[in-house]
Amino acid sequence: MMVKELKKHGGTRIGAGRKKGSSVYGEATKAVRIPESLLATVSELLDHKKKLLATKNIEHPAIYFPDLDSPVPSIPFYSASVAAGFPSPADDYVEKRLDLNELLIKKPSSTFFVRAEGESMLGAGIHPGDVLVVDRSVHAGVGKIVVCALDGELTVKRLRSKEGKLVLAPENPDYSDIPIREEVEMVIWGVVTSVIHNV
């Protein structure tokens, strides 16, 4: 009588491997073969995906990230300037079509949006309810308007140097400078590059 030998290697093992969706990409993955000529391109795409997910780990409900996968409509862009003083003759010549993402977002993978609150930055043209375009890749040097977390609270201020010390300066005389002290936990999240303001 022949007895079949039980296989002890190979096959599916219950409980083995990573849990579905636990990869660095936040979803299930699948092994594929790709041409060597496309290896660098695919690697770059995967790195971009990982960085994008890393930026989304910022836990704050007021932070929004550009949707890189959605179709972007372009809008007609008229070459004529609009006079804020006396009216000037109108020109209906369309110079080109304008993509607002190209205009406002230089580096999509390092950009996020946040809505402004309060009136401390009125002098810089930032009003309550405005949407700030913030680029994490821009160097936060003196003179830049930065979004930062102070002891866990978000604020937007201009980074200034006064008497040799850095301060977070408002653009409204009704508000005081915030000195940057060692005992205060401060993390600069990025530099404000544009303001979207409704009229």
Side-chain angles (χ1 to χ4, degrees):
M1 178 177 177
M2 295 183 62
V3 178
K4 291 184 178 178
E5 184 180 353
L6 294 176
K7 293 183 178 179
K8 297 182 180 179
H9 303 289
T12 304
R13 289 175 293 160
I14 298 174
R18 294 177 179 169
K19 293 182 179 179
K20 192 172 184 179
S22 64
S23 73
V24 294
Y25 306 106
E27 58 187 273
T29 58
K30 180 179 287 187
V32 294
R33 289 182 177 273
I34 56 174
E36 288 186 359
S37 61
L38 294 177
L39 186 60
T41 302
V42 174
S43 296
E44 186 176 345
L45 176 64
L46 293 176
D47 285 343
H48 172 73
K49 177 77 172 178
K50 282 193 283 189
K51 289 177 182 176
L52 186 64
L53 287 171
T55 58
K56 287 185 176 180
N57 287 332
I58 298 173
E59 294 182 358
H60 198 284
I63 300 294
Y64 305 91
F65 293 89
D67 185 355
L68 301 178
D69 299 325
S70 64
V72 180
S74 59
I75 310 298
F77 178 57
Y78 289 82
S79 62
S81 300
V82 177
F86 295 103
S88 63
D91 183 354
D92 59 357
Y93 176 69
V94 178
E95 184 174 284
K96 64 175 185 177
R97 298 189 74 83
L98 181 65
D99 177 348
L100 289 179
N101 281 347
E102 288 183 5
L103 181 68
L104 299 175
I105 302 172
K106 303 304 179 190
K107 294 185 178 178
S109 62
S110 61
T111 299
F112 66 89
F113 306 124
V114 63
R115 195 174 295 279
E117 294 181 4
E119 299 181 339
S120 68
M121 295 298 287
L122 290 179
I126 298 175
H127 297 254
D130 287 354
V131 175
L132 310 179
V133 182
V134 185
D135 190 337
R136 294 156 59 90
S137 69
V138 176
H139 174 64
V142 172
K144 298 288 187 182
I145 297 177
V146 299
V147 170
C148 61
L150 277 178
D151 288 333
E153 298 289 331
L154 285 181
T155 187
V156 54
K157 297 288 184 292
R158 191 179 294 278
L159 195 60
R160 291 193 185 281
S161 177
K162 292 187 176 179
E163 299 177 351
K165 297 181 180 179
L166 289 176
V167 299
L168 294 172
E171 298 273 339
N172 184 335
D174 294 336
Y175 293 78
S176 302
D177 291 344
I178 301 175
I180 301 176
R181 299 191 179 96
E182 290 186 2
E183 62 270 23
V184 176
E185 183 182 355
M186 188 186 83
V187 178
I188 294 179
W189 282 16
V191 172
V192 177
T193 56
S194 297
V195 180
I196 302 173
H197 175 73
N198 290 329
V199 295

